[in-house]
Amino acid sequence: MVNSCNMNIQWKSDDSSNTEKMVLLVIKMWMFLVAMCFVYFAKAFQGSYMKSSVTQIERRFDIPSSLIGFIDGSFEIGNLLVIAFVSYFGAKLHRPRLIGAGCLIMAMGSFITVAPHFFQGPYKYETTISHFPASNGTEGILPCLTIGSLTHDHEIPTVEIQAECEKAASSSLWLYVFLGNMLRGIGETPVMPLGLSYLDDFSREENTALYMALIQTVGIMGPMFGFMLGSFCAKLYVDIGAVDLDTITINHKDSRWVGAWWLGFLLTGGVMLLAGIPFWFLPKSLPKQGETETERNSNVLGGEQDCFIPDNNKNSTAPNKPSPVSMAVLAKDFLPSLKKLFSNTVYLIIIITTIIQFNGFIGMITFQPKYMEQIYGLSASRTIFLIGISNLPSVAFGIVTGGFIMKKFRLNVLGASKFCITVSVLAFSLMIVQYFLQCDNSQVPGLTVSYQGAPEVSYKQNALISSCNMGCSCSLRHWDPICASNGLTYASPCLAGCQTSTEVGKEMIFHNCTCIRESPLPYANMSAVLGQCPRKSDCDYMFKSYMAVTVIGAFFSACAATPGYIILLRSINPELKSLALGIHTLLVRTLGGIPPPVYFGALIDMTCLKWGTKQCGGRGACRIYDSGAFRNYFLGVIYGLSAVFFVLWGVLYNRLSHRENKRALKAQLKAPELDGNCVSSGNGNGSSAIIKCYESPEQETSI
């Protein structure tokens, strides 16, 4: 009786211990899932904020679009430096802690990106207006006469003076932004491959897809918040809190305005730092969900953590004793696998197609805010905000819709290909419509129109001088636009021939502008105010149409994302799946992520009409573009890449169709072969039959 009680107590104790272990397992798995959701949100939040700050960084460091494109591509460079090591060897290490270390590196990258703001002095935008205190509204500035400091435009400074000035202006501090962005790329590398493999190893098979969908869904919210934060910071002056904003003569709509770009990086870096904390407290491995103690003991080698390369001779080693994996074995297995992978023609075509597609996508998303600014005359903050609240939700909805259609209609590879081609054609059709949704150039005498209001075709700086301002010693290098009552934007008060001014700061008004009087366009008076003139009224209608078209186009483009990924997965050998996805990511990021911002930026620079001037006299950031040429180059490259994309899709569909036909033919040939190997015997009365299948050692059969 006593033994029975002791056994009962022992059984209850074991049962209670197992229950506690199961509860602890569930808690740890959900802790990892929540941490992964948070880190996906944080990295998308951080990355989208970087995209939204491209224009502000370009203006702050007075650099061309091609260079800001190179800085933006440094994220991919950093990613490529370690992706091979992390993807191939990371599974043998403590995966959660590697992810935590990656988060720490990403946070450091954000903080390093901010560093130049604290090293530089206050931002000094170029202006031809002298700043001096004025307590009343009396006339105090004579734009046409008091510009003696600007009359030495053609003097070339000595090498010593130039070097001293460059050092004082901290013109090379953009290297910190480059380094910080590259560190973000390094830190982001382990998050996806190690995080998702950890989740797949220790969760139920039927739960893995749900968990990954949850992570991706939360991650999609990151870009929306990132662009909204970018819009908010773009409205704040870069030196907010350090300067008297009443003395600033520009607003957030001005092309010289620099928002508080650094503020967002502090916030995104802090969020990323918090996102990495939970991973330091998670174990190296977890018991698989739903696995019994017996199964757990007999499956010690399960999962990616312990089975680094496939073991083709499982019977030769004990199941509980893992054989050591050396670098020689890894190299011996890697090279034949790589050769086999690249002998797959369909896989190669998919890679090339994806690279072409990413070139267009990355170039477009990097410079779309600038495109909207120049074509439709919007401020940087408004363009960023609109992208965040309209385009990104459309993309998210498109991804979900594509996955739903794949599941609902159970599309095979050919069906998925047809679907991808269809939605891509629809998206491209809407992209063509964008070409016709344009506004006229901003009317600037000497740049886009003549001083008599006729279209300007030469775009030469000497065209800025006219009979109405010839008596003024005007600078041709500086950009300090004013809007006249005749609807024209003059490059500076001096070039408008303005004689006097009243008020101070943003409220300054210029009077007696001789170029307004000589213009044939109707005018209310000879006065002008600071800033560029707004576009014509029909431009607002064009912009609304453009937004509607881009939102629908983004939806159709995103619909192809999930089917395209499924086509990739079903077109490769299952044994080479991890290697194939790794090589795919490596090549797409190298050739599809780094070059586009650079060559798109270089083409955009070619459309610049008026370059800004650095403190030391060098060429700064562009102030105004030829919107027609900008549209032609920007959309023209996208159209060209899309044409190549469709040609490749045609080749890919042909190869997939050929492969499916061969598989169908093989299946038909195997069917009678299986029937021929089956011998039926009966007892003569037909009441029973025995079917014997003689199985070939090379052939799999299933009953």
Side-chain angles (χ1 to χ4, degrees):
M1 189 69 165
V2 174
N3 290 337
S4 177
C5 289
N6 289 338
M7 289 175 64
N8 191 29
I9 292 171
Q10 181 67 32
W11 178 82
K12 289 183 178 179
S13 176
D14 292 342
D15 185 55
S16 176
S17 176
N18 289 334
T19 302
E20 290 178 0
K21 288 181 179 179
M22 289 299 295
V23 171
L24 188 61
L25 167 63
V26 171
I27 291 174
K28 287 182 177 180
M29 179 56 71
W30 276 100
M31 181 180 174
F32 180 80
L33 181 62
V34 171
M36 279 297 294
C37 288
F38 189 22
V39 78
Y40 257 66
F41 169 84
K43 75 184 185 70
F45 180 49
Q46 193 180 53
S48 58
Y49 181 77
M50 176 66 194
K51 289 289 185 185
S52 71
S53 301
V54 163
T55 301
Q56 309 301 321
I57 295 172
E58 177 184 344
R59 294 175 182 174
R60 182 63 183 96
F61 296 98
D62 269 326
I63 53 180
S65 297
S66 55
L67 183 53
I68 194 64
F70 178 62
I71 293 173
D72 185 64
S74 63
F75 178 87
E76 306 295 343
I77 295 173
N79 203 286
L80 293 172
L81 290 176
V82 295
I83 191 171
F85 172 81
V86 170
S87 299
Y88 209 62
F89 298 104
K92 299 297 290 181
L93 305 175
H94 197 301
R95 285 178 284 182
R97 289 184 182 173
L98 271 179
I99 296 172
C103 293
L104 180 61
I105 293 172
M106 281 191 280
M108 288 174 56
S110 281
F111 297 144
I112 289 174
T113 301
V114 173
H117 173 73
F118 299 100
F119 296 155
Q120 288 177 305
Y123 172 57
K124 296 179 181 179
Y125 54 90
E126 56 175 319
T127 179
T128 59
I129 300 171
S130 302
H131 297 275
F132 66 93
S135 59
N136 52 32
T138 58
E139 299 178 359
I141 299 178
L142 305 176
C144 184
L145 301 176
T146 60
I147 50 168
S149 60
L150 299 175
T151 56
H152 307 290
D153 283 352
H154 304 290
E155 290 185 6
I156 301 175
T158 63
V159 176
E160 292 78 10
I161 295 175
Q162 184 74 15
E164 185 178 348
C165 182
E166 292 284 347
K167 184 178 179 181
S170 306
S171 59
S172 299
L173 288 179
W174 59 265
L175 289 169
Y176 282 89
V177 182
F178 178 89
L179 176 62
N181 202 37
M182 188 168 66
L183 282 177
R184 285 199 317 104
I186 293 173
E188 191 263 353
T189 307
V191 173
M192 187 180 75
L194 300 188
L196 297 185
S197 66
Y198 187 92
L199 195 67
D200 186 48
D201 283 348
F202 306 120
S203 64
R204 291 179 186 268
E205 187 174 346
E206 61 269 22
N207 291 342
T208 302
L210 177 63
Y211 292 160
M212 290 185 180
L214 181 61
I215 291 170
Q216 297 287 353
T217 302
V218 175
I220 287 172
M221 298 171 62
M224 297 192 322
F225 283 90
F227 275 91
M228 290 174 69
L229 176 64
S231 174
F232 173 75
C233 291
K235 282 188 175 181
L236 303 176
Y237 189 64
V238 61
D239 294 317
I240 185 171
V243 297
D244 182 6
L245 297 181
D246 291 334
T247 62
I248 305 299
T249 60
I250 58 176
N251 58 30
H252 68 279
K253 297 180 180 180
D254 197 292
S255 60
R256 295 166 294 170
W257 175 273
V258 176
W261 61 276
W262 55 275
L263 194 60
F265 282 107
L266 288 178
L267 181 59
T268 57
V271 170
M272 183 56 70
L273 200 60
L274 291 175
I277 292 176
F279 292 99
W280 296 99
F281 300 97
L282 288 166
K284 183 178 182 181
S285 62
L286 291 170
K288 193 172 183 66
Q289 283 183 336
E291 194 176 57
T292 63
E293 192 72 27
T294 304
E295 292 172 334
R296 195 174 302 138
N297 292 334
S298 63
N299 195 28
V300 177
L301 299 179
E304 186 181 353
Q305 186 81 21
D306 299 305
C307 188
F308 190 57
I309 58 174
D311 187 4
N312 296 323
N313 191 18
K314 293 180 180 178
N315 296 328
S316 63
T317 57
N320 293 328
K321 187 177 181 181
S323 57
V325 180
S326 64
M327 291 295 296
V329 174
L330 292 177
K332 186 179 179 181
D333 180 69
F334 178 74
L335 294 177
S337 298
L338 199 62
K339 183 179 179 181
K340 185 177 180 181
L341 186 63
F342 281 106
S343 65
N344 186 341
T345 308
V346 172
Y347 176 71
L348 290 177
I349 297 173
I350 290 175
I351 286 183
I352 298 171
T353 305
T354 310
I355 289 172
I356 296 298
Q357 184 184 28
F358 261 65
N359 269 260
F361 173 74
I362 296 296
M364 183 178 66
I365 197 65
T366 302
F367 293 106
Q368 187 180 13
K370 184 187 285 288
Y371 177 84
M372 293 166 66
E373 285 179 54
Q374 296 300 322
I375 302 300
Y376 301 104
L378 303 177
S379 66
S381 60
R382 189 183 177 196
T383 59
I384 295 166
F385 178 77
L386 290 172
I387 291 172
I389 66 168
S390 58
N391 287 37
L392 294 177
S394 177
V395 169
F397 184 56
I399 293 173
V400 174
T401 303
F404 173 78
I405 291 175
M406 284 288 296
K407 182 178 180 181
K408 178 71 175 177
F409 298 99
R410 298 179 180 179
L411 299 179
N412 59 12
V413 172
L414 287 180
S417 301
K418 292 177 182 177
F419 178 74
C420 286
I421 293 173
T422 302
V423 294
S424 297
V425 168
L426 291 173
F428 181 65
S429 301
L430 292 171
M431 182 66 72
I432 292 177
V433 173
Q434 291 182 27
Y435 184 83
F436 303 98
L437 301 175
Q438 58 172 315
C439 296
D440 293 332
N441 259 327
S442 181
Q443 293 185 310
V444 183
L447 292 179
T448 60
V449 296
S450 68
Y451 276 84
Q452 284 69 43
E456 182 67 51
V457 294
S458 63
Y459 303 131
K460 295 179 180 178
Q461 279 207 336
N462 56 13
L464 289 169
I465 298 297
S466 179
S467 58
C468 61
N469 56 30
M470 194 172 292
C472 305
S473 301
C474 299
S475 169
L476 302 182
R477 297 184 306 169
H478 292 75
W479 175 255
D480 198 6
I482 59 171
C483 178
S485 59
N486 59 3
L488 298 180
T489 298
Y490 292 89
S492 71
C494 179
L495 289 170
C498 300
Q499 306 297 319
T500 59
S501 69
T502 58
E503 304 298 337
V504 293
K506 297 183 183 68
E507 307 300 324
M508 190 176 294
I509 302 174
F510 300 91
H511 305 283
N512 299 326
C513 303
T514 56
C515 291
I516 299 176
R517 181 180 58 203
E518 294 188 10
S519 171
L521 299 175
Y523 59 92
N525 51 55
M526 294 173 59
S527 299
V529 296
L530 287 171
Q532 290 181 240
C533 294
R535 300 292 177 92
K536 294 179 180 178
S537 57
D538 63 335
C539 192
D540 186 57
Y541 171 77
M542 286 291 184
F543 172 69
K544 290 177 180 177
S545 302
Y546 167 81
M547 285 304 301
V549 168
T550 54
V551 168
I552 300 172
F555 168 77
F556 283 130
S557 296
C559 282
T562 302
Y565 199 73
I566 295 298
I567 293 171
L568 171 64
L569 292 176
R570 293 180 183 175
S571 301
I572 52 182
N573 191 324
E575 296 177 359
L576 302 175
K577 186 179 294 184
S578 297
L579 178 62
L581 293 178
I583 296 297
H584 178 269
T585 303
L586 180 69
L587 293 177
V588 169
R589 290 204 166 193
T590 303
L591 302 176
I594 299 175
V598 178
Y599 68 75
F600 266 83
L603 288 172
I604 289 171
D605 285 339
M606 292 171 62
T607 68
C608 184
L609 294 177
K610 186 72 177 71
W611 291 96
T613 304
K614 292 184 178 181
Q615 296 180 33
C616 305
R619 192 178 80 173
C622 186
R623 302 306 183 194
I624 184 172
Y625 295 85
D626 179 358
S627 62
F630 192 119
R631 184 185 74 255
N632 293 339
Y633 286 7
F634 183 73
L635 294 180
V637 175
I638 295 175
Y639 293 160
L641 291 170
S642 298
V644 177
F645 170 76
F646 284 118
V647 170
L648 289 171
W649 254 117
V651 176
L652 177 61
Y653 181 80
N654 183 55
R655 295 294 301 179
L656 289 172
S657 179
H658 181 67
R659 176 182 284 190
E660 290 299 310
N661 290 336
K662 286 180 66 176
R663 286 179 178 174
L665 184 60
K666 285 183 179 179
Q668 290 177 359
L669 293 174
K670 283 183 178 180
E673 191 176 320
L674 288 173
D675 293 339
N677 287 336
C678 294
V679 179
S680 177
S681 62
N683 58 6
N685 57 9
S687 60
S688 65
I690 301 173
I691 300 176
K692 296 181 180 179
C693 292
Y694 298 96
E695 186 177 334
S696 171
E698 300 290 329
Q699 180 181 8
E700 282 188 10
T701 61
S702 60
I703 299 176

